[in-house]
Amino acid sequence: MAQPRRFQRLKTQVRKLRLPLLGLFVLLLGLVFSTFDLYFQQDRAARLQSESLLYEQTQSNAARLLTALGRQMDAVQTAAAALSAFSDLQGVTARTTLRSYLGESELVSMWVTNRNGLGQDPSGNVQDFSGVEIVNKALLGQAGWSAAWQEPSTGQVMFCACAPVRRAPNAPVSGAVVGLLTTEQLSGIANLSSFDGTGYIAATQPDGLVLYYSRSLGTRLAGHQNFWEYSDPDSYTPEGSLRGPMEAGEEGLFYYRSPYRGRVASCYVRLGVGDWYLFQDVPESVMMRSGLHSLILLLELAAKLLLCFLFLVFCLSRYQRQREKGVEQAEARLQLTNQSLEIALTHATISLFLYDVYSRTLTAHHVSDTGQPIVLENGPAQLVQRGAVAPQHASTFLGLFHQIKSGIPTVQADLLLRAVGRADYIWNRVILTTVFDQYRSATHAIVTFEDISEERRREEELAQRAHKDPLTGLYNREGLRAQVNALRCSPDRPATGAFLLLDLDHFKEVNDTLGHPAGDRLLREAARVLECLCPDGGACARIGGDEFVLLAPGLGWQGAEELAGQICRRMPLLTEALEFQVPVGISVGVHVFECAGAHLDAIYQEADVALYAAKRERGRWVATRGLNVEPSV
């Protein structure tokens, strides 16, 4: 009989826990699907990271190749500088000097030509370079690299670095030094690598003529000199497996499929020498080796999730047993009525009190350190006397407790309160919910204190944002209107105030020439200048585009015009400070108004007339009294 009873007890517990178990099962499914989604996201992230690594490595190899080419160009230019001291560039002494610089370089050969393009090497061999484009450019004073060309006699792909020879920096060109390199020689000078040797690297011209190739690619070229037309030994197509000739200005990351390497990622970057490109590829399988490892980790995670699920089932079972034992003890400690409990649970409170209408005592829902309930005789008045309520809100606080006697179900107010031992007041929402007896008479009230200081802070922040310009931090048009209205209604307002309407000169040219980020920077710096020049008690605003307002209560005509002159002198200095090529100035319209009848629209119209007159000559201020143009100096 013991086994059927145990089975029956287990069945009962499962029936009681069916909803938590269902929730745990749904949670487990969610975690499994989330794990698969995470795996695929990691796979995509790994692909992007591998592509970025391929591009960065291609850029790094391009830099190394350019460094190797730069060394050879330095050797040619050094030889050209040394030969500038000889009047006869093809004499014995000049050829000896050329031989010494050739020995110190990594070039296969070095030639010196006269102005007609006829060249000699250190051994006295003669060759006509007059038809070579790079030599013609060198004789005109330009140094650089030639396009690659295939020498007819040897079949080698060669290219040359050329530098002009001058007797003095500003003297005419007397000849040129030509240094020759071959593909094999450049490959030995700059040994580039790619992903543990699994990728291919080649420097080519757009038409496919090879300038450099890595060792791994050298075996695939099999004597072919054109990068796009070599025959792939493992391919059934004679044109090979690469993507084909480059378009003008093309570079980036591409994919193609190879019969012996699978899907391959290839990257192309411009070398910056002529129209040369650097090509680098790598099999996608080398870039993405973590697939099987990720699957193993996924299975391990699924096993861990299953163990966690079983452990949670065990914990829930233990918790259910303990909960059943403690139900009677919890019911014995419950003191409030069902109505009071329902009301209390509808509020998210910081503190909860029960108020007795007849004895006017406040009893806290928690107990003190001594284990006794906290009871305040004549509680509302005692809280006021202790300073727990801000003085300006004391009458409102006491009025809440008087209102519930009239049968109002719920009363509330937002008040400044502070806890015992604290000096600062914080905003609290005090809610009193009346508890009635069977005769509908108010006997008690549930009093809740909810901290709403964060809510009030957000409301104040939103209200302030509505009056501020997000770019400059100055007031916007509505904020300026509020400042003018506050000035008009202030009991200690001054008799007059100055209203300066400002417009930046050449702001459109800054946006068109330097871009909108530069224009935004100019607006922010102009706002800082206006804030520095604004008198105490004044306000600055940006009311649209490049139009600003400076409001200065208490200023008369003389002070307003002096302030406008300071602005006109100070603002052009921003051009030097910001290092802009476009001159920046400001036009100002000045108006003085009476504060007692100040209205923004009327003041703005007056100042706008003066601003229109000032903008005719720019960099000036104009006052509405007489509309006389004054210089900015």
Side-chain angles (χ1 to χ4, degrees), residues 364-406:
H365 77 288
H366 57 280
V367 297
S368 64
D369 297 336
T370 61
Q372 299 297 323
I374 300 175
V375 180
L376 296 177
E377 300 292 340
N378 197 12
Q382 190 174 157
L383 290 176
V384 173
Q385 293 173 2
R386 291 183 178 182
V389 184
Q392 65 270 28
H393 293 160
S395 59
T396 304
F397 178 74
L398 295 176
L400 294 175
F401 292 90
H402 288 288
Q403 291 180 43
I404 61 172
K405 294 181 180 180
S406 61

Side-chain angles (χ1 to χ4, degrees), residues 298-313:
L298 186 66
L299 294 176
E300 291 180 355
L301 182 59
K304 292 177 181 178
L305 289 175
L306 181 59
L307 292 176
C308 290
F309 175 75
L310 296 176
F311 178 72
L312 286 175
V313 171

Side-chain angles (χ1 to χ4, degrees), residues 181-443:
L181 273 175
T182 65
T183 301
E184 295 80 0
Q185 192 174 14
L186 182 57
S187 300
I189 294 173
N191 186 14
L192 308 183
S193 60
S194 169
F195 286 89
D196 299 328
T198 58
Y200 295 161
I201 300 176
T204 73
Q205 294 180 166
D207 60 0
L209 193 58
V210 178
L211 309 171
Y212 170 92
Y213 57 84
S214 60
R215 294 179 180 176
S216 56
L217 183 61
T219 58
R220 312 305 303 183
L221 286 174
H224 292 271
Q225 301 298 339
N226 192 297
F227 185 66
W228 307 117
E229 297 177 359
Y230 79 90
S231 177
D232 188 347
D234 298 325
S235 174
Y236 297 101
T237 57
E239 66 273 17
S241 58
L242 294 180
R243 61 183 300 275
M246 299 288 291
E247 298 291 338
E250 186 178 8
E251 63 179 352
L253 188 68
F254 305 94
Y255 285 91
Y256 66 90
R257 183 165 295 280
S258 171
Y260 64 95
R261 293 198 300 168
R263 198 163 182 260
V264 179
S266 59
C267 186
Y268 303 83
V269 298
R270 295 179 66 88
L271 271 176
V273 177
D275 54 358
W276 300 355
Y277 282 87
L278 182 69
F279 162 87
Q280 179 172 347
D281 74 356
V282 64
E284 190 178 34
S285 58
V286 176
M287 298 172 61
M288 307 291 293
R289 288 176 174 172
S290 59
L292 180 61
H293 180 66
S294 299
L295 181 60
I296 295 174
L297 292 178
L298 186 66
L299 294 176
E300 291 180 355
L301 182 59
K304 292 177 181 178
L305 289 175
L306 181 59
L307 292 176
C308 290
F309 175 75
L310 296 176
F311 178 72
L312 286 175
V313 171
F314 173 77
C315 292
L316 280 175
S317 176
R318 297 288 298 175
Y319 169 75
Q320 181 66 20
R321 292 180 186 177
Q322 295 179 359
R323 185 173 178 273
E324 290 176 353
K325 293 180 180 179
V327 168
E328 294 182 359
Q329 299 176 2
E331 290 178 350
R333 292 194 299 266
L334 186 61
Q335 299 296 326
L336 297 176
T337 62
N338 291 336
Q339 179 186 12
S340 302
L341 183 60
E342 286 181 13
I343 296 172
L345 292 177
T346 58
H347 299 282
T349 63
I350 296 176
S351 301
L352 177 67
F353 290 81
L354 180 65
Y355 176 66
D356 192 318
V357 174
Y358 299 104
S359 63
R360 292 181 292 181
T361 58
L362 276 173
T363 304
H365 77 288
H366 57 280
V367 297
S368 64
D369 297 336
T370 61
Q372 299 297 323
I374 300 175
V375 180
L376 296 177
E377 300 292 340
N378 197 12
Q382 190 174 157
L383 290 176
V384 173
Q385 293 173 2
R386 291 183 178 182
V389 184
Q392 65 270 28
H393 293 160
S395 59
T396 304
F397 178 74
L398 295 176
L400 294 175
F401 292 90
H402 288 288
Q403 291 180 43
I404 61 172
K405 294 181 180 180
S406 61
I408 300 176
T410 303
V411 293
Q412 72 176 47
D414 294 343
L415 309 173
L416 285 171
L417 306 177
R418 66 180 178 185
V420 178
R422 297 193 59 176
D424 54 326
Y425 292 92
I426 60 175
W427 283 100
N428 279 262
R429 180 162 294 151
V430 183
I431 304 175
L432 277 69
T433 306
T434 308
V435 179
F436 300 94
D437 59 12
Q438 65 270 27
Y439 304 106
R440 295 297 299 170
S441 298
T443 60

Side-chain angles (χ1 to χ4, degrees), residues 65-77 106-107 132-135 137-138 142-149 158-163 178-182 185-186 189 205 211 272-276:
L65 189 58
L66 286 174
T67 301
L69 291 171
R71 290 200 308 270
Q72 314 316 313
M73 177 57 73
D74 290 342
V76 172
Q77 290 179 331
E106 298 165 295
L107 298 167
V132 180
E133 181 182 1
I134 191 62
V135 177
K137 290 183 178 180
Q142 301 178 17
W145 287 94
S146 69
W149 48 278
M158 306 185 72
F159 46 100
C160 60
C162 198
V178 181
L180 296 180
L181 273 175
T182 65
Q185 192 174 14
L186 182 57
I189 294 173
Q205 294 180 166
L211 309 171
V273 177
D275 54 358
W276 300 355

